[in-house]
């Protein structure tokens, strides 16, 4: 094999791109030709230099920052257990509250009554009518200890950030009562320095009655 | 009617998304760094990849081998968002922290200076490559991606990548134009 042909194939040799027979030809040539052997070694060193081109370690906290452009994760208070949520819901009752979100005179009194059946999950739909788009609203929900969100033990308080679109925004909230004691659902929406509080009175019944509760209160 | 975030599925999906993607943060950052050559730009690109995939969580879950998938998306985002923006010439500003990394791990002033010189030469050599050549040498020779993998990542035939790589290496060899003995000393040192 001519040295010129060998040299032209050294790159492929190092890349392991040659056929076995060609590879063997070059290897045996290196054993007998000092110049080509040197060229081969030079190529190996060159590749090593490239391979060692440093990459500065990522700054601490990359794991967290990698996700920092995502919409913010909702935060859950206390010992709430979330994983595996997905229980079948009983027939949902619908409570629609349409209210202008940022009217300062809005009442702090309960705006509606709803009736829950003991141990039966029901979905409360709350409608928030927003005059303009809100990018970063904080929604928080608070229930008494014996009424749980999503039938999750211990989950009666939750807070998360969300965007609200202009117009009506619906929040579906499945809740379950564990004791036949009336209580209150408090939903707060905060945006900037503004805060709106909605209070729903929850009555609990022991035996199943007709699931016809439906209230629409329009304050807009 | 707009739906306020269904917070249960949102929490679940958010956590599951992070759990699914977290194992890929490091290698995606490496690729992003190789392409952008700037830590800030690399992090920004990485965050864009996450944002890009966030709404596609259910789709992503079904992908058997995420690595090439994610790398390809990162590369596409890089091309679309950074390289096509001519106001952001990647090669214009070489990250000097690359040089300090070498220095940080060495307590021998002579070797330090030598390695720094070597890295500066290599930086300049890389600057002089065209974008296509630099990408392939960065990801193949430095990050160890095979040409077959890169063909998928860059949507370019293996043959084309091979000739880019060949030209890139030739250009770097010329730009380095160092004696073999220098290289031996540096690598073994
Ligand atoms: Zn020879």
């Amino acid at each position: 094999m001519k040295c010129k042909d060998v040299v032209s194939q050294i790159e492929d040799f190092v890349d392991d791109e040659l056929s076995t027979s060609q590879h063997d030809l070059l290897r045996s040539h290196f054993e007998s030709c000092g110049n080509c052997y040197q060229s081969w070694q030079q190529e190996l060193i060159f590749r090593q230099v490239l391979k060692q081109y440093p990459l500065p370690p990522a700054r601490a906290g990359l794991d967290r920052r990698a996700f920092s452009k995502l919409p913010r994760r909702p935060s859950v208070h206390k010992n709430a257990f979330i994983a595996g949520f997905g229980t079948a819901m009983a027939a949902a009752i619908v409570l629609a509250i349409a209210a202008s979100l940022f009217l300062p005179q809005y009442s702090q009194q309960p705006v509606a009554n709803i009736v829950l059946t003991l141990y039966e999950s029901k979905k409360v739909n709350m409608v928030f009518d927003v005059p303009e788009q809100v990018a970063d609203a904080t929604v928080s929900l608070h229930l008494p200890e014996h009424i749980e969100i999503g039938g999750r033990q211990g989950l009666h308080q939750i807070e998360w950030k969300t965007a609200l679109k202009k117009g009506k925004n619906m929040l579906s909230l499945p809740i379950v009562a564990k004791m036949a004691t009336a209580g209150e659902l408090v939903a707060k929406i905060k945006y900037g320095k503004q805060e709106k509080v909605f209070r729903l009175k929850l009555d609990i019944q022991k035996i199943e009655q007709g699931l016809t509760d439906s209230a629409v209160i329009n304050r807009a | 009617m707009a739906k306020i975030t269904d917070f249960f599925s949102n929490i679940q999906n958010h956590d599951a998304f992070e759990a699914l993607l977290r194992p890929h943060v490091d290698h995606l950052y490496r690729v992003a760094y190789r392409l952008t050559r700037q830590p800030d730009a690399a992090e920004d690109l990485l965050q864009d990849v996450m944002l890009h995939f966030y709404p596609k969580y259910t789709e992503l879950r079904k992908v058997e081998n995420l690595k090439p998938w994610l790398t390809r998306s990162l590369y596409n985002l890089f091309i679309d968002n950074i390289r096509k923006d001519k106001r952001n010439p990647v090669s214009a500003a070489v990250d000097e922290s690359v040089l300090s990394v070498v220095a940080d791990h060495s307590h021998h002033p002579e070797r330090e200076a030598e390695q720094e010189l070597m890295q500066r030469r290599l930086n300049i050599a890389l600057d002089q490559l065209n974008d296509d050549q630099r990408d392939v040498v960065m990801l193949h020779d430095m990050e160890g991606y095979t040409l077959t993998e890169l063909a998928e990542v860059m949507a370019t035939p293996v043959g084309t990548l091979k000739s880019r790589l060949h030209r890139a290496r030739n250009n770097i060899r010329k730009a380095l134009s160092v004696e073999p003995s220098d290289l031996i000393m540096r690598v073994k040192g």
Side-chain angles (χ1 to χ4, degrees), chain A residues 90-158:
Chain A
I93 59 165
V94 175
L95 174 77
I97 304 163
S100 291
L101 189 52
F102 301 122
L103 286 182
Q105 72 274 21
Y106 194 77
S107 169
Q108 297 272 312
Q109 295 304 307
V111 294
N113 271 39
I114 58 171
V115 181
L116 299 175
T117 302
L118 197 58
Y119 297 119
E120 195 171 282
S121 178
K122 286 185 180 171
K123 201 176 259 183
V124 178
N125 291 332
M126 285 172 273
V127 178
F128 302 107
D129 199 354
V130 188
E132 60 193 57
Q133 190 179 323
V134 177
D136 205 15
T138 302
V139 181
S140 68
L141 303 167
H142 193 279
L143 282 156
E145 301 238 331
H146 67 283
I147 301 177
E148 292 165 357
I149 299 168
R152 269 302 148 212
Q153 200 168 357
L155 181 58
H156 34 77
Q157 234 188 97
I158 186 167

Side-chain angles (χ1 to χ4, degrees), chain A residues 11-12 15 17 42-43 45-59 62-63 65-74 76 82-85 127-128 139 141 149-150 152 155 158 160-162 164-165 168-174 189, chain B residues 1-5 7-8 10-12 14-15 17-18 21-22 25-26 29-30 33-34 37 39-40 43-44 46-48 50-51 54 95 97-98 101-102 118-119 122-123 126 137-138 140-143 162 165-166 169 172-173 176 180 183-184 187:
Chain A
E11 197 171 332
D12 282 344
D15 281 333
E17 294 270 340
Q42 233 175 295
E43 182 63 18
I45 290 159
F46 172 63
R47 298 300 182 85
Q48 195 63 23
V49 167
L50 291 180
K51 210 174 169 184
Q52 287 178 352
Y53 185 68
L55 185 138
R59 291 180 294 237
L62 180 68
D63 259 16
R65 287 195 309 281
F67 302 100
S68 61
K69 280 188 191 170
L70 304 189
R72 269 195 259 175
R73 180 196 189 284
V76 178
I82 290 295
F85 172 76
V127 178
F128 302 107
V139 181
L141 303 167
I149 299 168
R152 269 302 148 212
L155 181 58
I158 186 167
W160 75 103
K161 296 268 187 190
T162 188
L164 300 175
K165 291 189 178 144
K168 292 182 169 62
N169 292 263
M170 187 168 78
L171 167 64
S172 289
L173 182 72
I189 294 203
Chain B
M1 192 186 304
K3 263 193 172 176
I4 296 184
T5 324
F7 50 86
F8 288 107
N10 193 15
I11 291 171
Q12 272 184 300
H14 199 107
D15 288 354
F17 178 82
E18 287 200 18
L21 273 292
R22 188 162 284 119
V25 164
D26 283 348
Y29 176 79
R30 289 185 68 93
Y33 188 94
R34 292 303 191 197
R37 306 172 72 196
D40 289 339
E43 281 201 16
D44 200 50
L46 175 65
Q47 289 164 351
D48 283 344
M50 297 305 176
L51 190 61
Y54 189 62
D95 180 16
S97 63
V98 167
V101 167
V102 181
M118 186 66 193
Q119 295 310 328
L122 194 46
N123 271 338
L126 290 167
V137 90
M138 285 276 192
H140 183 277
D141 285 349
M142 294 173 186
E143 283 305 306
K162 209 175 156 184
L165 185 61
H166 181 72
R169 286 169 179 164
I172 297 173
R173 282 190 202 98
L176 289 180
L183 288 172
I184 289 167
V187 170

Side-chain angles (χ1 to χ4, degrees), chain B residues 56-118:
Chain B
K56 299 173 183 170
Y57 168 64
T58 38
E59 207 180 317
L60 214 57
R61 251 177 25 188
K62 295 172 196 156
V63 177
E64 221 167 273
N65 187 5
L66 272 177
K67 190 177 169 181
W69 234 66
L70 296 170
T71 311
R72 186 172 58 231
S73 300
L74 185 143
Y75 184 75
N76 290 340
L77 283 173
F78 169 70
I79 296 295
D80 292 345
N81 297 351
I82 301 177
R83 183 156 290 161
K84 278 185 184 163
D85 185 353
K86 296 293 179 195
R87 291 162 299 177
N88 272 331
V90 170
S91 60
V94 168
D95 180 16
E96 289 293 317
S97 63
V98 167
L99 305 175
S100 62
V101 167
V102 181
D104 283 350
H105 295 294
S106 169
H107 300 293
H108 305 281
E110 272 176 38
R111 195 186 306 159
E112 210 174 283
E114 216 174 78
Q115 283 184 325
E116 193 168 317
L117 178 69
M118 186 66 193

Side-chain angles (χ1 to χ4, degrees), chain A residues 1-4 6-7 29-30 32-37:
Chain A
M1 219 181 165
K2 288 179 185 166
C3 291
K4 191 178 143 221
V6 171
V7 169
H29 183 90
F30 294 147
S32 59
C33 175
N35 285 342
C36 289
Y37 176 84

